[in-house]
Amino acid sequence: MARHVIAAVDELPPGTRKFLEIDGRPIAVFNIKGEYFGLMNRCPHQGAALCEGPLIGLAQSRDPGEIEYTKLGEIIRCPWHGWEFDIRTGQSYCDPRRFRVKAYPAHVEPGASVVKGPYVAETIAVKVESDYVVVEL
Amino acid sequence: MNIQFRENSEAASPLTTKTAIADCDIHPARATRTELYPYLAKRWQHHLEVYGVHAYQGMMEGPPYPKAQPNASRRDAYPPEGGPQGSSLSFMQKQLLDPNNVQLGVLNPLNTGQGIRNHELSAALCSAINDWQIDKWTSKDKRLKASIVVGNEDGLSAAAEIRERAGDKNFVQVLLLSRNVEPLGQRRYWPIYQAAEEAGLPVGVHAFGFGGNPITPSGWPSYYIEEMVGHSQCQQSALASLVLEGVFERFPKLKMVMIEAGFGWAPSLAWRLDKVWQRLRSEVPHVKRPPSEYIREQVWWTTQPMEDPERREDLFDVINWIGWDRLLFATDYPHWDYDEPSRVLPAGVSEANRSAFYLGNAKQLYGIA
Ligand code: FES
């Protein structure tokens, strides 16, 4: 796994993202409140440049009339058809096509009543090494 | 280390097909509010500045439901030079036409002059939009063809606009919207069908419109998602009206294109119409054949949005009923429910059907060599 320096830390302040191409692969790296996340910039649905969408939260509801909004700034919404992905895990939400479901390790999280979709956007390992943001690919 | 920084979204998806395609639903937009003024008489420019437009629907500006993404459009479709999505020819070429090898692109402008209460203003705006389509789009890129936009609620002025444009190779169809003051089969709209039939132009019926009636047959719903599915209900009642008022019987060479309202419902609507027609035929004796026959002979369907059943065989069953020669591929660019050409058709379609679906049917219907 090769390591690629992609930015000095001050070039990627919190709330920003950077688009780049490494070995022909489109990648986006986000700084969210000092944490770094990388995603393959290609939506598993129809191939849009996924990371050009807005970062939103996750709206969930246990019952009609009750809305819980969590993971603020951690869900990327595809710029084309609006499918939502968790940028920490690449997990998609709310895809109805059950026949493509794969199994994923279960874990408990607040308001987990929302349906997780079968699609997963590919995540990229990102870390900071002596003040440089480094992507592992 | 080999890194290039990506400046903007112009790069094409690496998965795009290189097979030539037709895109039968492209929405060109105006870059500025006054972009139509050069095509409008001073009298109407002045009128717009003083009074604005008065639509049949209650909302003064814009559609009654929010649209999920700004301008109902892909977030990566803002032109680099500014302006709304769909307003730049050069960016449309880079983002849609070139990478997808679009050989024929049919323009369907929305928010034109249709559905405006002042019929003279409506006619003037529609005519201006048609001039603008030639100047800004079709004369600059021969792949693009325009739709004749008409003041739909005034059949006579609409027919005059069609006759004026007839024979102009910049135009390949007449454009109506699905929501009108009355169901589309009614007599007030007949001059439109007559002029279109004479001109040999198909009439496209695109979802949306400003007829002033609730978005669904059961009233005004709460959510945009209900408007989205409501388009197919609206298209169904428009199509039933066209059949039952005798439009297809009266204009046997008329071709209708159902645009952006799905097509999975077509067989069940036709089956229901046939069944009821057998029992109530004497109410509508001018409908001389089973409704399904008119529908299968005189109606075409664009694909965006395509129904997306779990089993692809279910989709194929529907298409087999409609006919592989009746579907016209469409992306709906730059709108947010855009369909990516290389991703819409499931595996298992023969080469002949694929090429008809992506290009052949459209070229034939629109008379493109
Ligand atoms: S391409 Fe991303 S949601 Fe469709």
Side-chain angles (χ1 to χ4, degrees), chain B residues 10 13 25 38 45 48 51 63 69 85 99 103 112 187 194 219 228 231 247 250 264 272 292 301 306 321-322 351:
Chain B
E10 289 175 20
S13 157
D25 191 21
Q45 297 177 26
L48 286 175
Y51 302 103
Q69 310 263 33
Q85 303 94 328
Q103 201 175 93
T112 56
R187 303 270 166 132
Q194 184 172 351
M228 291 292 289
H231 291 310
V247 169
R250 179 81 171 68
R272 274 182 291 144
S292 62
W301 314 80
M306 274 176 69
W321 185 90
I322 290 175
E351 197 40 51

PDB file of all heavy atoms in Angstrom, chain B residues 10 13 25 38 45 48 51 63 69 85 99 103 112 187 194 219 228 231 247 250 264 272 292 301 306 321-322 351:
ATOM      1  N   GLU B  10     -15.721  19.018 -14.686  1.00  0.00           N
ATOM      2  CA  GLU B  10     -15.903  18.849 -16.123  1.00  0.00           C
ATOM      3  C   GLU B  10     -15.558  17.449 -16.626  1.00  0.00           C
ATOM      4  O   GLU B  10     -16.019  17.021 -17.663  1.00  0.00           O
ATOM      5  CB  GLU B  10     -15.044  19.861 -16.882  1.00  0.00           C
ATOM      6  CG  GLU B  10     -15.576  21.271 -16.745  1.00  0.00           C
ATOM      7  CD  GLU B  10     -14.667  22.279 -17.397  1.00  0.00           C
ATOM      8  OE1 GLU B  10     -13.872  21.872 -18.253  1.00  0.00           O
ATOM      9  OE2 GLU B  10     -14.756  23.453 -17.040  1.00  0.00           O
ATOM     10  N   SER B  13     -17.498  11.002 -16.513  1.00  0.00           N
ATOM     11  CA  SER B  13     -17.397   9.751 -15.786  1.00  0.00           C
ATOM     12  C   SER B  13     -16.673   8.741 -16.664  1.00  0.00           C
ATOM     13  O   SER B  13     -16.947   8.633 -17.848  1.00  0.00           O
ATOM     14  CB  SER B  13     -18.798   9.244 -15.463  1.00  0.00           C
ATOM     15  OG  SER B  13     -18.752   7.869 -15.253  1.00  0.00           O
ATOM     16  N   ASP B  25     -34.591  14.321 -23.764  1.00  0.00           N
ATOM     17  CA  ASP B  25     -35.131  15.288 -22.795  1.00  0.00           C
ATOM     18  C   ASP B  25     -33.991  16.066 -22.150  1.00  0.00           C
ATOM     19  O   ASP B  25     -33.455  15.678 -21.122  1.00  0.00           O
ATOM     20  CB  ASP B  25     -35.980  14.572 -21.734  1.00  0.00           C
ATOM     21  CG  ASP B  25     -36.773  15.545 -20.872  1.00  0.00           C
ATOM     22  OD1 ASP B  25     -36.985  16.682 -21.308  1.00  0.00           O
ATOM     23  OD2 ASP B  25     -37.186  15.160 -19.761  1.00  0.00           O
ATOM     24  N   PRO B  38     -34.377  40.343 -26.041  1.00  0.00           N
ATOM     25  CA  PRO B  38     -34.139  40.646 -27.459  1.00  0.00           C
ATOM     26  C   PRO B  38     -35.171  40.010 -28.393  1.00  0.00           C
ATOM     27  O   PRO B  38     -35.296  40.430 -29.541  1.00  0.00           O
ATOM     28  CB  PRO B  38     -32.748  40.046 -27.718  1.00  0.00           C
ATOM     29  CG  PRO B  38     -32.103  39.964 -26.380  1.00  0.00           C
ATOM     30  CD  PRO B  38     -33.208  39.751 -25.397  1.00  0.00           C
ATOM     31  N   GLN B  45     -41.792  43.463 -22.943  1.00  0.00           N
ATOM     32  CA  GLN B  45     -40.722  43.712 -21.963  1.00  0.00           C
ATOM     33  C   GLN B  45     -41.255  44.625 -20.864  1.00  0.00           C
ATOM     34  O   GLN B  45     -41.062  44.378 -19.672  1.00  0.00           O
ATOM     35  CB  GLN B  45     -39.518  44.380 -22.635  1.00  0.00           C
ATOM     36  CG  GLN B  45     -38.841  43.529 -23.695  1.00  0.00           C
ATOM     37  CD  GLN B  45     -37.701  44.286 -24.383  1.00  0.00           C
ATOM     38  OE1 GLN B  45     -37.111  45.192 -23.804  1.00  0.00           O
ATOM     39  NE2 GLN B  45     -37.393  43.902 -25.612  1.00  0.00           N
ATOM     40  N   LEU B  48     -43.728  42.878 -18.603  1.00  0.00           N
ATOM     41  CA  LEU B  48     -43.093  41.983 -17.620  1.00  0.00           C
ATOM     42  C   LEU B  48     -42.507  42.788 -16.460  1.00  0.00           C
ATOM     43  O   LEU B  48     -42.604  42.377 -15.299  1.00  0.00           O
ATOM     44  CB  LEU B  48     -41.983  41.166 -18.283  1.00  0.00           C
ATOM     45  CG  LEU B  48     -42.443  40.038 -19.205  1.00  0.00           C
ATOM     46  CD1 LEU B  48     -41.236  39.380 -19.883  1.00  0.00           C
ATOM     47  CD2 LEU B  48     -43.242  38.977 -18.440  1.00  0.00           C
ATOM     48  N   TYR B  51     -45.855  44.273 -14.558  1.00  0.00           N
ATOM     49  CA  TYR B  51     -46.857  43.353 -14.009  1.00  0.00           C
ATOM     50  C   TYR B  51     -46.333  41.948 -13.729  1.00  0.00           C
ATOM     51  O   TYR B  51     -46.971  41.185 -13.008  1.00  0.00           O
ATOM     52  CB  TYR B  51     -48.044  43.233 -14.980  1.00  0.00           C
ATOM     53  CG  TYR B  51     -48.719  44.538 -15.289  1.00  0.00           C
ATOM     54  CD1 TYR B  51     -48.495  45.200 -16.483  1.00  0.00           C
ATOM     55  CD2 TYR B  51     -49.583  45.120 -14.345  1.00  0.00           C
ATOM     56  CE1 TYR B  51     -49.110  46.408 -16.762  1.00  0.00           C
ATOM     57  CE2 TYR B  51     -50.206  46.331 -14.620  1.00  0.00           C
ATOM     58  CZ  TYR B  51     -49.958  46.975 -15.827  1.00  0.00           C
ATOM     59  OH  TYR B  51     -50.564  48.163 -16.100  1.00  0.00           O
ATOM     60  N   PRO B  63     -42.324  26.799  -8.788  1.00  0.00           N
ATOM     61  CA  PRO B  63     -43.249  25.696  -8.602  1.00  0.00           C
ATOM     62  C   PRO B  63     -43.673  25.558  -7.139  1.00  0.00           C
ATOM     63  O   PRO B  63     -42.976  26.056  -6.253  1.00  0.00           O
ATOM     64  CB  PRO B  63     -42.421  24.483  -9.030  1.00  0.00           C
ATOM     65  CG  PRO B  63     -41.007  24.899  -8.824  1.00  0.00           C
ATOM     66  CD  PRO B  63     -40.945  26.379  -8.930  1.00  0.00           C
ATOM     67  N   GLN B  69     -32.831  19.562  -5.100  1.00  0.00           N
ATOM     68  CA  GLN B  69     -31.511  20.129  -5.356  1.00  0.00           C
ATOM     69  C   GLN B  69     -31.780  21.505  -5.972  1.00  0.00           C
ATOM     70  O   GLN B  69     -32.835  21.711  -6.566  1.00  0.00           O
ATOM     71  CB  GLN B  69     -30.717  19.282  -6.362  1.00  0.00           C
ATOM     72  CG  GLN B  69     -30.648  17.794  -6.066  1.00  0.00           C
ATOM     73  CD  GLN B  69     -29.369  17.384  -5.345  1.00  0.00           C
ATOM     74  OE1 GLN B  69     -28.813  18.140  -4.556  1.00  0.00           O
ATOM     75  NE2 GLN B  69     -28.907  16.175  -5.584  1.00  0.00           N
ATOM     76  N   GLN B  85     -27.795  25.965 -13.836  1.00  0.00           N
ATOM     77  CA  GLN B  85     -27.484  24.719 -14.525  1.00  0.00           C
ATOM     78  C   GLN B  85     -28.269  24.654 -15.837  1.00  0.00           C
ATOM     79  O   GLN B  85     -29.443  24.980 -15.867  1.00  0.00           O
ATOM     80  CB  GLN B  85     -27.870  23.528 -13.642  1.00  0.00           C
ATOM     81  CG  GLN B  85     -27.203  23.528 -12.278  1.00  0.00           C
ATOM     82  CD  GLN B  85     -28.056  24.180 -11.209  1.00  0.00           C
ATOM     83  OE1 GLN B  85     -28.820  25.101 -11.473  1.00  0.00           O
ATOM     84  NE2 GLN B  85     -27.918  23.716  -9.983  1.00  0.00           N
ATOM     85  N   PRO B  99     -18.950  13.716 -23.901  1.00  0.00           N
ATOM     86  CA  PRO B  99     -18.557  12.458 -23.254  1.00  0.00           C
ATOM     87  C   PRO B  99     -19.557  11.326 -23.482  1.00  0.00           C
ATOM     88  O   PRO B  99     -19.181  10.158 -23.462  1.00  0.00           O
ATOM     89  CB  PRO B  99     -18.459  12.814 -21.770  1.00  0.00           C
ATOM     90  CG  PRO B  99     -19.220  14.067 -21.602  1.00  0.00           C
ATOM     91  CD  PRO B  99     -19.136  14.796 -22.905  1.00  0.00           C
ATOM     92  N   GLN B 103     -25.751  12.073 -30.253  1.00  0.00           N
ATOM     93  CA  GLN B 103     -25.844  12.409 -31.668  1.00  0.00           C
ATOM     94  C   GLN B 103     -27.063  13.298 -31.942  1.00  0.00           C
ATOM     95  O   GLN B 103     -27.073  14.095 -32.860  1.00  0.00           O
ATOM     96  CB  GLN B 103     -25.960  11.118 -32.473  1.00  0.00           C
ATOM     97  CG  GLN B 103     -25.555  11.280 -33.917  1.00  0.00           C
ATOM     98  CD  GLN B 103     -25.573   9.939 -34.624  1.00  0.00           C
ATOM     99  OE1 GLN B 103     -26.575   9.561 -35.221  1.00  0.00           O
ATOM    100  NE2 GLN B 103     -24.472   9.217 -34.552  1.00  0.00           N
ATOM    101  N   THR B 112     -41.492  28.461 -19.444  1.00  0.00           N
ATOM    102  CA  THR B 112     -41.501  29.267 -20.652  1.00  0.00           C
ATOM    103  C   THR B 112     -42.638  30.270 -20.562  1.00  0.00           C
ATOM    104  O   THR B 112     -42.658  31.075 -19.650  1.00  0.00           O
ATOM    105  CB  THR B 112     -41.664  28.350 -21.863  1.00  0.00           C
ATOM    106  OG1 THR B 112     -42.853  27.578 -21.690  1.00  0.00           O
ATOM    107  CG2 THR B 112     -40.491  27.412 -22.003  1.00  0.00           C
ATOM    108  N   ARG B 187     -61.428  19.796 -26.398  1.00  0.00           N
ATOM    109  CA  ARG B 187     -61.465  20.469 -27.709  1.00  0.00           C
ATOM    110  C   ARG B 187     -60.569  21.696 -27.791  1.00  0.00           C
ATOM    111  O   ARG B 187     -60.067  22.013 -28.861  1.00  0.00           O
ATOM    112  CB  ARG B 187     -62.900  20.916 -28.039  1.00  0.00           C
ATOM    113  CG  ARG B 187     -63.897  19.792 -28.036  1.00  0.00           C
ATOM    114  CD  ARG B 187     -64.010  19.157 -29.401  1.00  0.00           C
ATOM    115  NE  ARG B 187     -64.707  17.887 -29.273  1.00  0.00           N
ATOM    116  CZ  ARG B 187     -65.713  17.512 -30.066  1.00  0.00           C
ATOM    117  NH1 ARG B 187     -66.122  18.304 -31.015  1.00  0.00           N
ATOM    118  NH2 ARG B 187     -66.271  16.327 -29.884  1.00  0.00           N
ATOM    119  N   GLN B 194     -54.070  19.363 -34.571  1.00  0.00           N
ATOM    120  CA  GLN B 194     -54.279  19.461 -36.013  1.00  0.00           C
ATOM    121  C   GLN B 194     -53.047  20.064 -36.696  1.00  0.00           C
ATOM    122  O   GLN B 194     -52.555  19.544 -37.700  1.00  0.00           O
ATOM    123  CB  GLN B 194     -55.509  20.324 -36.293  1.00  0.00           C
ATOM    124  CG  GLN B 194     -55.815  20.367 -37.772  1.00  0.00           C
ATOM    125  CD  GLN B 194     -57.135  21.063 -38.060  1.00  0.00           C
ATOM    126  OE1 GLN B 194     -57.905  21.370 -37.136  1.00  0.00           O
ATOM    127  NE2 GLN B 194     -57.395  21.296 -39.322  1.00  0.00           N
ATOM    128  N   GLY B 219     -55.852  15.884  -4.293  1.00  0.00           N
ATOM    129  CA  GLY B 219     -55.601  17.159  -3.630  1.00  0.00           C
ATOM    130  C   GLY B 219     -54.130  17.471  -3.505  1.00  0.00           C
ATOM    131  O   GLY B 219     -53.280  16.798  -4.098  1.00  0.00           O
ATOM    132  N   MET B 228     -43.496  13.961  -7.199  1.00  0.00           N
ATOM    133  CA  MET B 228     -42.719  13.140  -8.131  1.00  0.00           C
ATOM    134  C   MET B 228     -43.543  11.972  -8.661  1.00  0.00           C
ATOM    135  O   MET B 228     -43.569  11.712  -9.855  1.00  0.00           O
ATOM    136  CB  MET B 228     -41.456  12.594  -7.453  1.00  0.00           C
ATOM    137  CG  MET B 228     -40.411  13.630  -7.131  1.00  0.00           C
ATOM    138  SD  MET B 228     -39.618  14.340  -8.582  1.00  0.00           S
ATOM    139  CE  MET B 228     -38.624  12.976  -9.155  1.00  0.00           C
ATOM    140  N   HIS B 231     -46.645  12.735 -11.061  1.00  0.00           N
ATOM    141  CA  HIS B 231     -46.512  12.980 -12.499  1.00  0.00           C
ATOM    142  C   HIS B 231     -47.086  11.834 -13.323  1.00  0.00           C
ATOM    143  O   HIS B 231     -47.676  12.045 -14.369  1.00  0.00           O
ATOM    144  CB  HIS B 231     -45.045  13.187 -12.876  1.00  0.00           C
ATOM    145  CG  HIS B 231     -44.494  14.469 -12.337  1.00  0.00           C
ATOM    146  ND1 HIS B 231     -45.139  15.670 -12.515  1.00  0.00           N
ATOM    147  CD2 HIS B 231     -43.387  14.745 -11.613  1.00  0.00           C
ATOM    148  CE1 HIS B 231     -44.441  16.628 -11.935  1.00  0.00           C
ATOM    149  NE2 HIS B 231     -43.379  16.097 -11.378  1.00  0.00           N
ATOM    150  N   VAL B 247     -59.151  12.059 -29.719  1.00  0.00           N
ATOM    151  CA  VAL B 247     -58.068  12.778 -30.397  1.00  0.00           C
ATOM    152  C   VAL B 247     -57.313  11.868 -31.366  1.00  0.00           C
ATOM    153  O   VAL B 247     -57.033  12.238 -32.509  1.00  0.00           O
ATOM    154  CB  VAL B 247     -57.093  13.393 -29.355  1.00  0.00           C
ATOM    155  CG1 VAL B 247     -55.815  13.900 -30.032  1.00  0.00           C
ATOM    156  CG2 VAL B 247     -57.770  14.532 -28.605  1.00  0.00           C
ATOM    157  N   ARG B 250     -59.490  11.174 -34.350  1.00  0.00           N
ATOM    158  CA  ARG B 250     -59.656  12.347 -35.191  1.00  0.00           C
ATOM    159  C   ARG B 250     -58.370  12.689 -35.939  1.00  0.00           C
ATOM    160  O   ARG B 250     -58.397  13.190 -37.050  1.00  0.00           O
ATOM    161  CB  ARG B 250     -60.067  13.517 -34.294  1.00  0.00           C
ATOM    162  CG  ARG B 250     -60.259  14.836 -34.963  1.00  0.00           C
ATOM    163  CD  ARG B 250     -61.645  14.896 -35.633  1.00  0.00           C
ATOM    164  NE  ARG B 250     -61.949  16.228 -36.111  1.00  0.00           N
ATOM    165  CZ  ARG B 250     -61.313  16.835 -37.119  1.00  0.00           C
ATOM    166  NH1 ARG B 250     -60.355  16.208 -37.733  1.00  0.00           N
ATOM    167  NH2 ARG B 250     -61.651  18.045 -37.490  1.00  0.00           N
ATOM    168  N   GLY B 264     -44.012   2.407 -16.771  1.00  0.00           N
ATOM    169  CA  GLY B 264     -44.414   1.123 -16.191  1.00  0.00           C
ATOM    170  C   GLY B 264     -45.924   1.005 -16.034  1.00  0.00           C
ATOM    171  O   GLY B 264     -46.470  -0.099 -16.005  1.00  0.00           O
ATOM    172  N   ARG B 272     -57.059  -1.431 -18.282  1.00  0.00           N
ATOM    173  CA  ARG B 272     -58.269  -0.924 -17.626  1.00  0.00           C
ATOM    174  C   ARG B 272     -59.152  -0.209 -18.631  1.00  0.00           C
ATOM    175  O   ARG B 272     -60.373  -0.370 -18.637  1.00  0.00           O
ATOM    176  CB  ARG B 272     -57.895   0.032 -16.484  1.00  0.00           C
ATOM    177  CG  ARG B 272     -57.631  -0.697 -15.163  1.00  0.00           C
ATOM    178  CD  ARG B 272     -57.317   0.293 -14.064  1.00  0.00           C
ATOM    179  NE  ARG B 272     -56.027   0.917 -14.312  1.00  0.00           N
ATOM    180  CZ  ARG B 272     -55.726   2.180 -14.047  1.00  0.00           C
ATOM    181  NH1 ARG B 272     -56.622   2.985 -13.524  1.00  0.00           N
ATOM    182  NH2 ARG B 272     -54.526   2.634 -14.284  1.00  0.00           N
ATOM    183  N   SER B 292     -56.267   0.497 -26.087  1.00  0.00           N
ATOM    184  CA  SER B 292     -54.865   0.057 -26.141  1.00  0.00           C
ATOM    185  C   SER B 292     -54.306   0.139 -27.558  1.00  0.00           C
ATOM    186  O   SER B 292     -53.116   0.355 -27.748  1.00  0.00           O
ATOM    187  CB  SER B 292     -54.743  -1.378 -25.625  1.00  0.00           C
ATOM    188  OG  SER B 292     -55.483  -2.249 -26.455  1.00  0.00           O
ATOM    189  N   TRP B 301     -42.490   6.853 -25.594  1.00  0.00           N
ATOM    190  CA  TRP B 301     -42.209   7.119 -24.173  1.00  0.00           C
ATOM    191  C   TRP B 301     -40.734   7.431 -23.975  1.00  0.00           C
ATOM    192  O   TRP B 301     -39.879   6.688 -24.471  1.00  0.00           O
ATOM    193  CB  TRP B 301     -42.542   5.867 -23.333  1.00  0.00           C
ATOM    194  CG  TRP B 301     -43.852   5.256 -23.683  1.00  0.00           C
ATOM    195  CD1 TRP B 301     -44.125   4.436 -24.730  1.00  0.00           C
ATOM    196  CD2 TRP B 301     -45.108   5.441 -22.992  1.00  0.00           C
ATOM    197  NE1 TRP B 301     -45.459   4.090 -24.749  1.00  0.00           N
ATOM    198  CE2 TRP B 301     -46.082   4.690 -23.693  1.00  0.00           C
ATOM    199  CE3 TRP B 301     -45.492   6.158 -21.865  1.00  0.00           C
ATOM    200  CZ2 TRP B 301     -47.414   4.642 -23.286  1.00  0.00           C
ATOM    201  CZ3 TRP B 301     -46.811   6.107 -21.458  1.00  0.00           C
ATOM    202  CH2 TRP B 301     -47.756   5.358 -22.176  1.00  0.00           C
ATOM    203  N   MET B 306     -36.977   5.844 -15.494  1.00  0.00           N
ATOM    204  CA  MET B 306     -37.344   4.454 -15.749  1.00  0.00           C
ATOM    205  C   MET B 306     -37.715   3.794 -14.437  1.00  0.00           C
ATOM    206  O   MET B 306     -37.028   3.978 -13.446  1.00  0.00           O
ATOM    207  CB  MET B 306     -36.153   3.695 -16.333  1.00  0.00           C
ATOM    208  CG  MET B 306     -36.046   3.831 -17.833  1.00  0.00           C
ATOM    209  SD  MET B 306     -34.578   3.039 -18.484  1.00  0.00           S
ATOM    210  CE  MET B 306     -34.945   1.318 -18.238  1.00  0.00           C
ATOM    211  N   TRP B 321     -44.464  -5.277 -23.709  1.00  0.00           N
ATOM    212  CA  TRP B 321     -45.838  -4.879 -24.025  1.00  0.00           C
ATOM    213  C   TRP B 321     -45.849  -3.569 -24.815  1.00  0.00           C
ATOM    214  O   TRP B 321     -46.530  -3.435 -25.825  1.00  0.00           O
ATOM    215  CB  TRP B 321     -46.669  -4.722 -22.741  1.00  0.00           C
ATOM    216  CG  TRP B 321     -48.106  -4.436 -23.064  1.00  0.00           C
ATOM    217  CD1 TRP B 321     -49.115  -5.340 -23.253  1.00  0.00           C
ATOM    218  CD2 TRP B 321     -48.689  -3.133 -23.281  1.00  0.00           C
ATOM    219  NE1 TRP B 321     -50.281  -4.695 -23.585  1.00  0.00           N
ATOM    220  CE2 TRP B 321     -50.055  -3.344 -23.607  1.00  0.00           C
ATOM    221  CE3 TRP B 321     -48.203  -1.836 -23.248  1.00  0.00           C
ATOM    222  CZ2 TRP B 321     -50.935  -2.294 -23.876  1.00  0.00           C
ATOM    223  CZ3 TRP B 321     -49.088  -0.783 -23.531  1.00  0.00           C
ATOM    224  CH2 TRP B 321     -50.430  -1.015 -23.838  1.00  0.00           C
ATOM    225  N   ILE B 322     -45.056  -2.600 -24.320  1.00  0.00           N
ATOM    226  CA  ILE B 322     -45.015  -1.291 -24.978  1.00  0.00           C
ATOM    227  C   ILE B 322     -44.392  -1.400 -26.358  1.00  0.00           C
ATOM    228  O   ILE B 322     -44.850  -0.779 -27.320  1.00  0.00           O
ATOM    229  CB  ILE B 322     -44.196  -0.300 -24.118  1.00  0.00           C
ATOM    230  CG1 ILE B 322     -44.957   0.039 -22.841  1.00  0.00           C
ATOM    231  CG2 ILE B 322     -43.858   0.954 -24.895  1.00  0.00           C
ATOM    232  CD1 ILE B 322     -44.168   0.910 -21.887  1.00  0.00           C
ATOM    233  N   GLU B 351     -28.654  -6.725 -28.943  1.00  0.00           N
ATOM    234  CA  GLU B 351     -27.980  -5.588 -29.551  1.00  0.00           C
ATOM    235  C   GLU B 351     -28.974  -4.740 -30.372  1.00  0.00           C
ATOM    236  O   GLU B 351     -28.947  -3.508 -30.316  1.00  0.00           O
ATOM    237  CB  GLU B 351     -26.828  -6.095 -30.436  1.00  0.00           C
ATOM    238  CG  GLU B 351     -25.806  -5.048 -30.811  1.00  0.00           C
ATOM    239  CD  GLU B 351     -25.449  -4.062 -29.676  1.00  0.00           C
ATOM    240  OE1 GLU B 351     -25.125  -4.525 -28.560  1.00  0.00           O
ATOM    241  OE2 GLU B 351     -25.532  -2.832 -29.898  1.00  0.00           O
TER     242      GLU B 351
END
